Amino acid sequence: MARVPAAVLNTITRIRRPRRLRPHPAVELVSQPHNPWIRALGLIAVVLLGAWLGLLVVGNVRVPVGPMDTTMTLRPSLAGGTKINVSPLGALHLDSHIAPVRLDVNVDQLDPDRSQALVDHPERLSGLQDEVAQDVGHGALDLAVRSCVAVVAGATALGLAVYRRPRRALAAGGLALTLLAASGVTAYATWNPKSVLEPRFSGLLSSAPSLVGDARSIVTEFDVYQQELARLVTNVTKLYDATSTLPAYQPDPTTIRVLHVSDIHLNPASWKIIASLVEQYEVNVIVDSGDTMDHGTAAENGFLDPIEDLGAPYVWVRGNHDSLITQRYLEGLRNVHVLDDGRATTIAGLRFAGIGDPQFTPDRTNKPGADASQELAGARLASALRDQRAAGTPVDVAIAHEPPAARQTDGEVPLVLAGHVHHQEMEVMRYGTRLRIEGSTGGSGLRAVEGEHPDPIEASILYFDRDTRRLQAWDAIRLGGLGLTTAEVSRHLVEENQPGATPSPTPSPTPSPTPSP
């Protein structure tokens, strides 16, 4: 056998022996620990997801509240607040607090045994509210403890599953507990016990505002409403026990109820909605602040005929889509009161005065000098209001179509109504006059189909004290637009009628402008 030289053997050995590679600088960078900010964000994401999963799994309690069986749940939420579901009637929304958690209260069913006990012993109804309040307190405490355990356990379990390290898992649980405590402190600091005074109704409950009382009883019996959920559940109990249908709204006989509508824009569905609101709220007067039509032609006049059968007097001012042809046709209809040039009329104990829009723009264009013409019309209305006050017949409510005209009446009247902008607003102007701008009761008419989402149908019920003829409260009504079936009613109190508030001053007359040469 031939001998292989030693040099060749050494070369082969070096080739077969695996070389020990030095780590590349790029590989070293990858193997280093992640950026601490990224790790912190990852830990926060794990904590939030774990806490949310924990609340979903075990973050609720079943609580017997009086004769009702309820379920209380905490849910993550950016807005906070409280949602009370009264199936199948709908829901009430309360702006009770601001925190990243929302309290959901589901009224599940009426317990037949406890309900029969109330029927057999009606004297127990007098103490039912205290019993309900106590049950709610115990349920809220139980929910707080259970939610705390659920949040910490969920975050810890998910942290252990993601990191596979007990220390990281415990850190996730501790951070979850800290976040929950911070949420609790935020909710406590922003807690608004008066939120029940201004609830938002949705579903079928939007047609039954009597569930939490009318405007005057809220003001005069505020001590009753401090029980909040207790009062609600007590009324719902009576509602379930009495009938399966919604109760009729029971208006306070000492209030005057005015339905404010505007910008119907030839929507025929508006008349059915208005008639339903008139019947439901037993409305005394309907005020239309204009733009009932879309083009103001004589061919459209037949659209106005249902006004005679709405069941309440109809006060109307001309909008920029309403022509003088429209105005003359309405003046010939039964039960219609057309206001223009500052004319005043007294209906159902309230004195109204209004002025028609100085412009007619069915093509939706802005004519030169539009703002000046609106201010001039508003000044004419303000002058008429001063004349009425000097004659000893002060006006309670002024009406103009566009807000720039309505603003000229500041200091001359307690309340002025307007429309035109197709969304609801309320403000107290510089000299004390309150301006209420109504949305579109016709859902913007045919223009509702121009955008991606249909415009809502909006109207308001205004509550006036029959003695002082001043606004006490209002219900803002919002219905889903074209093709939608949602409904929401939100109760609002005038600031001076809030418990503990001081009465607002009477509107002070605005300084008369110096005549120009």
Side-chain angles (χ1 to χ4, degrees), residues 285-354:
V285 185
I286 305 169
V287 173
D288 186 342
S289 49
D291 272 5
T292 313
M293 304 301 234
D294 211 39
H295 296 88
T297 62
E300 296 172 303
N301 285 343
F303 171 76
L304 303 170
D305 292 342
I307 292 178
E308 293 184 321
D309 301 319
L310 291 178
Y314 200 89
V315 179
W316 183 86
V317 297
R318 188 178 67 251
N320 61 298
H321 283 255
D322 304 317
S323 66
L324 290 175
I325 297 174
T326 303
Q327 180 164 315
R328 285 192 291 269
Y329 187 83
L330 277 167
E331 288 173 343
L333 293 182
R334 175 175 49 87
N335 220 21
V336 175
H337 304 265
V338 175
L339 300 182
D340 199 1
D341 297 322
R343 287 198 302 270
T345 184
T346 300
I347 304 172
L350 292 176
R351 191 162 183 80
F352 299 89

Side-chain angles (χ1 to χ4, degrees), residues 381-435:
L381 178 57
S383 176
L385 296 175
R386 285 191 292 270
D387 293 342
Q388 290 285 341
R389 186 171 60 246
T393 55
V395 171
D396 304 308
V397 182
I399 313 165
H401 177 63
E402 297 196 28
R407 294 182 188 279
Q408 301 304 309
T409 66
D410 187 15
E412 308 297 346
V413 67
L415 176 68
V416 59
L417 304 180
H420 185 66
V421 297
H422 292 199
H423 63 265
Q424 296 177 334
E425 295 181 20
M426 178 77 88
E427 66 171 290
V428 177
M429 295 185 288
R430 178 180 179 183
Y431 295 104
T433 294
R434 183 179 295 272
L435 170 61

Side-chain angles (χ1 to χ4, degrees), residues 215 256 258 350 396-397 414-417 426 434-436 461-465 468-475 492-497 504:
I256 303 172
V258 175
L350 292 176
D396 304 308
V397 182
L415 176 68
V416 59
L417 304 180
M426 178 77 88
R434 183 179 295 272
L435 170 61
R436 173 64 181 175
I461 301 292
L462 311 177
Y463 300 93
F464 292 82
D465 185 274
T468 65
R469 303 188 302 280
R470 300 294 293 270
L471 183 68
Q472 299 294 305
W474 73 95
D475 286 344
H492 303 271
L493 292 181
V494 174
E495 288 80 359
E496 54 266 30
N497 291 329
S504 63

Side-chain angles (χ1 to χ4, degrees), residues 8-21:
V8 175
L9 287 174
N10 291 338
T11 301
I12 296 173
T13 302
R14 284 197 299 270
I15 293 174
R16 289 179 176 176
R17 182 182 302 164
R19 297 181 62 186
R20 181 173 298 174
L21 300 176

